[in-house]
Amino acid sequence: MTTEISAPETVLSGMMRHWNQCTRKFTEVFEQHIGYMPQMVPMTDTELREVIDACNTAVAPFGKSVSDERWISYMDVVRWSQSARHIRDMEAFKAVCILNCVTFVWDDMDPALHDFDVFLPELRKICEKYYDEDGAQFALEGARTFITSDHMFRNSPIKEVLCNTSPEQYFRFRVTDVGVDFWMKMSYPIYRHREFTEHAKSSLAARMTTRGLAIVNDFYSYDREISLGQITNCFRLCDVSDQDSFEEFFQRRLDDIVEDVECIKSFDDVTRDVLLDLIYGNFIWTTSNKRYKAAVNNVNSRIQ
């Protein structure tokens, strides 16, 4: 997978008019305030096949067929965003790949048409196979909370208020909705590190990284989400067609990321690296992955 950051071949209307300028600004912020570029976690062909086969088994109750290309597109966010230099448990790493991929499928389907209760036992099997008892408990609860929250709030008035009032309210909601708390609770066993474990379990790690993850995700997924009628995007709070208005709003969001990154630097060395690699790695994945190259393509379209 390449780390080259380039604009889509066909520049779209809407948010994509800002693609080159904003990608450059994101890059400058991450290079200046983080510096060290995360590395992609290597996996053997056998490990990749194991993860893909487990993913297919997990979503079998939905009767859906997912291509290997789509699974790998989902999986690569884990490979870029986990801190390769601190990984201690590759079995737990594979579990995060699987859980991440299958919850991506849930997000790409219409939950009103599917019964989460038939999905939960499959998630439980994954957790029990790859984690110890403590890790399995927290990972499963994180997955349950994330998917249940999505199912409850996708069309609720609470979501409408939180997403349309202010960036502050929006990012409070996104700690759970964008799955960052889930990410932390399924990821801490990878590192076997006492301080990061407690930051992940307490949700502090999720709160420290939500803005950096959501702002990047929202920028690059804006056109797709608008086309689907989704409201979970912070850039709906500004007029993206007005250059001055957009630039002012975007700069404030960059300032949010910088503030969080500078605070993260005060954590212990391992927690600091894990959180910064997550923020920076997510950006690398997002700007190089096919999922964000068009409003609709074969790895981001609705799974029917």
Side-chain angles (χ1 to χ4, degrees), residues 200-214:
K201 288 182 175 181
S202 71
S203 298
L204 178 60
R207 292 194 294 272
M208 293 303 304
T209 51
T210 290
R211 291 195 296 188
L213 295 171

Side-chain angles (χ1 to χ4, degrees), residues 241-286:
S241 66
D242 182 284
Q243 189 69 26
D244 291 340
S245 175
F246 171 78
E247 288 184 359
E248 179 183 359
F249 185 87
F250 183 80
Q251 184 59 50
R252 290 203 300 269
R253 303 291 71 79
L254 285 182
D255 293 343
D256 289 339
I257 295 174
V258 170
E259 179 181 62
D260 291 342
V261 164
E262 291 303 317
C263 288
I264 287 168
K265 291 177 182 178
S266 67
F267 283 68
D268 66 87
D269 291 350
V270 172
T271 300
R272 177 200 64 208
D273 290 349
V274 169
L275 300 187
L276 295 182
D277 282 353
L278 170 58
I279 293 171
Y280 201 168
N282 175 69
F283 171 70
I284 294 172
W285 171 73
T286 302

